[in-house]
Amino acid sequence: RELLGALEQHAPSAPAELIRAVDELQLVLLNAGSEVSLLSEVHPDLAVRETAEALQREVTRLATATNQSATIHGALSSIDLAALDTPTRRMVELTLRDMRRAGAALDTAGQQRAQELRERITALSQDYSRNIRDDVRTVEVPASALDGLPADYAAAHPVRDGVVQVTTDPPDMSPFMAYSPDRLAPKALATAYQDRAPGNRAGFAAPTPAR
């Protein structure tokens, strides 16, 4: 917010300074979005995952506001592209393209609608990922399917009635898929993994054939 506010209040007139300031803002947004996205997927604490998702939506709002900034768009548009080297020119061109796509040239109502759509996309993406992440399946496989796996892995999967339970949680699934000598058990686990989150599939209607 501070970087965006500073740019909107006083965008540098020198092209090199302006480009560095815009690049810094984009980098901060990218890093923030990447970090909270990772935490929302892998952190074991539900409260942390929910906080990360809320921050991810905030990053979306700030990124859209940045791309819709008339001040930044106007300043970048005034740069003489012919005077730039090829990588810098491409950076400016792509930034301006993304700003147009985000609605930089729209009126206030149009920008607000674009902001709402972008936030909706982020929320739907979070719902989609959460449905997959939270749907952990358990498959029973023969105890012999653990032959050859590390001792600590086998110890964490006690045998009951000749079978062991392996889940689709990646830390549990990945070693089994990589090292199990069994031919059928990995297929059963992979099938369970791919069958997760049936609600995600139900949420998409088949496209209407073109006439």
Side-chain angles (χ1 to χ4, degrees), residues 9-119:
Q9 291 173 17
H10 181 66
S13 56
E17 293 181 20
L18 173 64
I19 291 169
R20 276 196 298 270
V22 172
D23 182 62
E24 181 184 5
L25 174 55
Q26 291 177 332
L27 182 61
V28 169
L29 286 168
L30 177 63
N31 285 341
S34 297
E35 289 178 14
V36 296
S37 177
L38 176 64
L39 288 172
S40 72
E41 290 293 330
V42 304
H43 201 283
D45 190 329
L46 174 61
V48 173
R49 295 198 303 271
E50 291 177 343
T51 300
E53 287 185 348
L55 288 171
Q56 191 175 32
R57 293 191 292 272
E58 180 64 16
V59 170
T60 295
R61 284 191 287 271
L62 285 171
T64 304
T66 297
N67 282 331
Q68 291 181 347
S69 170
T71 300
I72 298 174
H73 185 268
L76 287 175
S77 298
S78 68
I79 293 177
D80 179 11
L81 297 180
L84 304 177
D85 59 51
T86 300
T88 307
R89 182 170 65 251
R90 179 168 174 78
M91 178 269 189
V92 174
E93 290 173 342
L94 292 181
T95 300
L96 288 172
R97 181 203 65 183
D98 291 344
M99 296 185 79
R100 287 193 298 271
R101 290 177 173 178
L106 298 176
D107 59 17
T108 301
Q111 289 190 345
Q112 178 61 34
R113 179 56 176 158
Q115 177 74 272
E116 292 171 356
L117 289 172
R118 177 53 59 185
E119 291 181 26

